Amino acid sequence: MPSQLEFQPEAESTLELLKKTDLKKLKKVQKTLGLLERNPRHPSLQTHDFDSLTGPNKEKVFESYVENNTPAAWRVFWYYGPGAGVLTIIAITPHP
């Protein structure tokens, strides 16, 4: 069952910035978000726990790949919630 994506302000502002500055990167991010909606464990996302962050209510945060084998490859950070079937996108950013 597809999930609903909710975006934190930082993630929304990154998407808006990419719309103005880097359409190629935006397309890659949109593809990643589409895969997350359908299957957060899709193999190409290489989703794994990201222990350095937690959600606002101590939710486990995950990292999914937008790119790989690229300098400063982009990632999407997200967690399950706040409700059933919802994924909250915390940040869309180059690899920290």
Side-chain angles (χ1 to χ4, degrees), residues 53-88:
L53 290 175
T54 58
N57 295 311
K58 308 287 185 204
E59 296 93 345
K60 182 183 283 190
V61 172
F62 297 91
E63 174 182 12
S64 296
Y65 287 26
V66 174
E67 303 170 310
N68 197 14
N69 299 323
T70 302
W74 281 57
R75 305 288 190 252
V76 174
F77 296 90
W78 59 274
Y79 61 86
Y80 288 101
V86 177
L87 303 180
T88 299

Side-chain angles (χ1 to χ4, degrees), residues 16-83:
E16 290 301 317
L17 180 65
L18 289 175
K19 286 178 186 174
K20 297 175 185 170
T21 61
D22 193 342
L23 293 178
K24 186 175 177 182
K25 188 80 67 191
L26 176 65
K27 187 174 180 179
K28 290 179 180 181
V29 169
Q30 287 173 329
K31 179 180 177 184
T32 299
L33 295 174
L35 289 171
L36 275 173
E37 277 184 311
R38 291 187 298 277
N39 178 8
R41 294 294 180 173
H42 189 282
S44 70
L45 296 174
Q46 300 189 40
T47 298
H48 58 276
D49 298 0
F50 190 77
D51 297 329
S52 300
L53 290 175
T54 58
N57 295 311
K58 308 287 185 204
E59 296 93 345
K60 182 183 283 190
V61 172
F62 297 91
E63 174 182 12
S64 296
Y65 287 26
V66 174
E67 303 170 310
N68 197 14
N69 299 323
T70 302
W74 281 57
R75 305 288 190 252
V76 174
F77 296 90
W78 59 274
Y79 61 86
Y80 288 101

